[in-house]
Amino acid sequence: MQKSKGTREPIPIAPSLSFNDKEFIDTPPSVSKRVLYLSVQAIFNAIIIGFIAKLLVELIHLITNLFFYGNFSFEETTPAGNTLGLWVIAIPVIGGLIVGVMARLGSTAIRGHGIPEAMEQVLTNESKIKPIITILKPLSAAISIGSGGPFGSEGPIISTGGALGSFAGQIMKITPNERKIMLTAGATAGMAAIFGTPVAAVLLAVELLLFEFSPRSIIPVALACATGAAMHLLMFGQEPMFGMPDIPPPTYQALMWYVTLGGIIGVLAALISKSIYLIEDWFEKLPIHWMWWPAIGAIAIGVVGYFAPYTMGVGYSNISDLLTGNLPVQMIFGLGVLKFISWSISLGSGTSGGTLAPLFTIGGAIGLALGMVILYIFPESDINLPTCALIGMASMFAGSARALLTSIVFAFEVTMQPHGLLPLLGACTSAYFVSFFLMKGTIMTEKIQRRGILTPDAYEPDVLQQMHVGEVMEYMDPQISLNQSIADVKKWVALKRPDRHVLIVKDNEGKLAGTLKLKDLRENELDESASIEALIDKKIIYIYPESQLSFAVEMMDRYRTDLIPVVNRDNKTKSIGLLTPTLVFAAYRKARYADQQLQRPISLKRSGYKMLVKSKKGFKR
């Protein structure tokens, strides 16, 4: 292995000793080989997930045709053209009953919208998902959406892809962290396969699933997302997911309005996110088993669908219609308000379905409606209605899921409108900023936070990996000699180091001889005139000044020691200092909070006085 500064290295032991650490030998020998291994498996999984994504979409079409038109057909259709009349209310209820029974008899993990469940497994269960989810999740989602559920197919395929990645990670001999990478690669490959958005899928992995940014994780995930996007081209075609007319470059007046519009949608995103969990709380209070909740929530889908049938189903065509900017006010109201009512109640009931498409639909409708109001009141505002719809859908997701970069890049990739990037950046950042102050959690994290699971809110480098032992260690030569008596050592400890638990011992030549645990002196009845040599642990574990502090902590934990001698690489027989947990804790605290100390390196007041004094001296001359 490499021994350069800051790299991971073998645990050093005294060269004169024969010591076989089986536990260490079994750890991964090469990071680069592991990345290659994971990447190949992630690509293979992404190919399978691409086929699953196509199967899910076709299954939704089949169930939609069966439920609403009585046809056994895979032809793409929506519930909007049905002629069932009042019977349309019963169709979602039937679908909800089936989903409830599947959740009760199969697995409760199929409930929900996919991403929070994947986050929970990453944070609490070493990324282990039951393999049965790979089958039950897409099937339950197809039934829920095909029977009129106002959900997107992306959430279920993200959950399914994550389950497949987790299953592959459980049959492979890999670490829990590598299994997390496999789960994330599968989940984001599913998103890329549905939407054809590889870059947004990678950013989703970073912002919502991985909670880190490193080559070992990004490379497999990026390759899986690229493969998923290639499968999208193969299965669904090469056109942008949501076509829209070319939008003009924004003027500075329009950009100001877009940012303001993003802030308003940020407020609405916070309210929508909170309403979802308020509805969940209502369902929790029902005196009946949760198996029946999806059917109860589906009543709202049917009732709303009777008056506005276009609110039922996935509704990707609705998003494309909104992006044209030419929808009638009645339909904009239906997609912004009625769609929210049916989606929020049914999702709060715990059924199976995604949140991305509904959020984009609701946000796009609100953005278009606000844009029309602004143009009516301020005709000189110079805004573009399709752009308002675009930033509305992206800002809604940025504010509710708090995935800023994912929202911006996703909106660009599904429309391929380069002139929309600047308005997207301003509006999504505004929505993110507002929702940050209005919500503690997000629509993705609130559910698992209620269960006591903490989710990271910042991606910071490991403080211990950024520090080296030489910056923290206590420089001192060993004070205890091999030939000293037990009485002498006890006396020295009482006077000099009463806080120590372990001492470094040197031999007669000043070389490192081993370590002495003071509990061996205190707990055993010993002849105090005897030498300490018999009590010394000669299995010496040492570390170098240039080693990472995180590596030293691993050694302390592995060998259950409170002190590690520090030696130079050129002379491993002589200790130059030591490292203790107390030193590590102090260094960590200092480094962790150093950036949070309020400072004023330049004082304008003092600088003003200095300038005044210099000017007076200049006048006197």
Side-chain angles (χ1 to χ4, degrees), residues 504-550:
I504 300 175
V505 182
K506 61 182 177 180
D507 61 15
N508 296 331
E509 298 178 359
K511 296 180 180 179
L512 188 60
T515 56
L516 174 66
K517 294 181 180 179
L518 294 184
K519 69 175 183 178
D520 293 338
L521 295 181
R522 301 187 182 107
E523 296 177 359
N524 299 323
E525 296 182 1
L526 303 170
D527 181 4
E528 297 205 352
S529 62
S531 170
I532 63 171
E533 183 173 3
L535 301 176
I536 293 175
D537 183 0
K538 296 183 179 180
K539 186 171 65 178
I540 306 171
I541 308 297
Y542 56 75
I543 199 165
Y544 305 123
E546 59 270 24
S547 298
Q548 289 178 332
L549 201 57
S550 58

Side-chain angles (χ1 to χ4, degrees), residues 5-305:
K5 183 175 180 178
T7 58
R8 194 174 175 86
E9 55 191 287
I11 294 179
I13 59 174
S16 61
L17 302 172
S18 59
F19 180 63
N20 178 23
D21 184 359
K22 181 66 167 62
E23 182 183 359
F24 182 76
I25 293 172
D26 282 346
T27 57
S30 171
V31 173
S32 59
K33 289 183 180 179
R34 304 296 299 178
V35 170
L36 177 61
Y37 177 48
L38 294 179
S39 298
V40 172
Q41 184 64 47
I43 291 172
F44 178 74
N45 291 348
I47 294 173
I48 298 176
I49 292 165
F51 287 109
I52 295 176
K54 179 65 173 179
L55 178 63
L56 174 61
V57 172
E58 294 297 324
L59 194 57
I60 291 173
H61 293 161
L62 173 62
I63 295 175
T64 301
N65 278 295
L66 285 173
F67 276 166
F68 290 94
Y69 304 103
N71 300 325
F72 188 91
S73 172
F74 292 95
E75 182 180 357
E76 182 177 356
T77 187
T78 69
N82 76 84
T83 57
L84 296 174
L86 284 173
W87 284 106
V88 75
I89 299 175
I91 300 299
V93 175
I94 294 172
L97 284 172
I98 297 174
V99 171
V101 171
M102 290 179 65
R104 177 72 184 275
L105 301 180
S107 173
T108 57
I110 67 173
R111 304 173 69 211
H113 45 101
I115 295 179
E117 290 74 21
M119 294 174 67
E120 182 176 9
Q121 299 306 313
V122 166
L123 293 168
T124 64
N125 196 32
E126 295 186 340
S127 303
K128 297 176 184 176
I129 299 178
K130 294 179 180 179
I132 192 65
I133 301 302
T134 310
I135 299 173
L136 292 182
K137 187 64 179 182
L139 183 58
S140 64
I143 293 172
S144 176
I145 298 170
S147 61
F151 308 109
S153 58
E154 68 290 329
I157 197 61
I158 286 173
S159 180
T160 303
L164 180 64
S166 174
F167 173 68
Q170 292 177 67
I171 62 177
M172 301 161 63
K173 190 177 183 180
I174 59 177
T175 66
N177 186 73
E178 290 171 337
R179 193 181 306 114
K180 176 184 73 172
I181 296 170
M182 294 299 296
L183 183 155
T184 303
T188 51
M191 176 180 174
I194 287 290
F195 289 118
T197 54
V199 181
V202 173
L203 293 174
L204 180 79
V206 174
E207 293 188 299
L208 295 182
L209 291 173
L210 281 176
F211 309 114
E212 66 168 283
F213 188 92
S214 63
R216 67 175 181 176
S217 59
I218 290 300
I219 291 174
V221 169
L223 290 173
C225 293
T227 305
M231 294 300 293
H232 174 86
L233 298 176
L234 176 65
M235 298 291 179
F236 301 102
Q238 301 180 3
E239 296 298 320
M241 186 70 181
F242 304 126
M244 66 179 298
D246 291 340
I247 59 179
T251 63
Y252 76 91
Q253 300 103 316
L255 190 59
M256 293 174 60
W257 282 108
Y258 293 147
V259 173
T260 303
L261 193 152
I264 296 172
I265 293 179
V267 175
L268 297 175
L271 295 176
I272 287 174
S273 300
K274 291 182 178 180
S275 67
I276 294 295
Y277 293 102
L278 181 62
I279 294 171
E280 279 197 2
D281 291 340
W282 289 346
F283 275 98
E284 292 284 348
K285 296 176 182 178
L286 290 179
I288 58 176
H289 195 276
W290 56 258
M291 180 182 72
W292 307 105
W293 296 352
I296 297 174
I299 296 174
I301 301 175
V303 172
V304 172

Side-chain angles (χ1 to χ4, degrees), residues 274-339:
K274 291 182 178 180
S275 67
I276 294 295
Y277 293 102
L278 181 62
I279 294 171
E280 279 197 2
D281 291 340
W282 289 346
F283 275 98
E284 292 284 348
K285 296 176 182 178
L286 290 179
I288 58 176
H289 195 276
W290 56 258
M291 180 182 72
W292 307 105
W293 296 352
I296 297 174
I299 296 174
I301 301 175
V303 172
V304 172
Y306 174 74
F307 295 100
Y310 53 84
T311 62
M312 304 177 78
V314 174
Y316 290 153
S317 60
N318 291 332
I319 297 176
S320 297
D321 292 340
L322 286 168
L323 291 174
T324 65
N326 294 321
L327 286 183
V329 174
Q330 181 181 0
M331 191 168 180
I332 295 173
F333 174 81
L335 292 176
V337 178
L338 298 182
K339 178 90 172 182

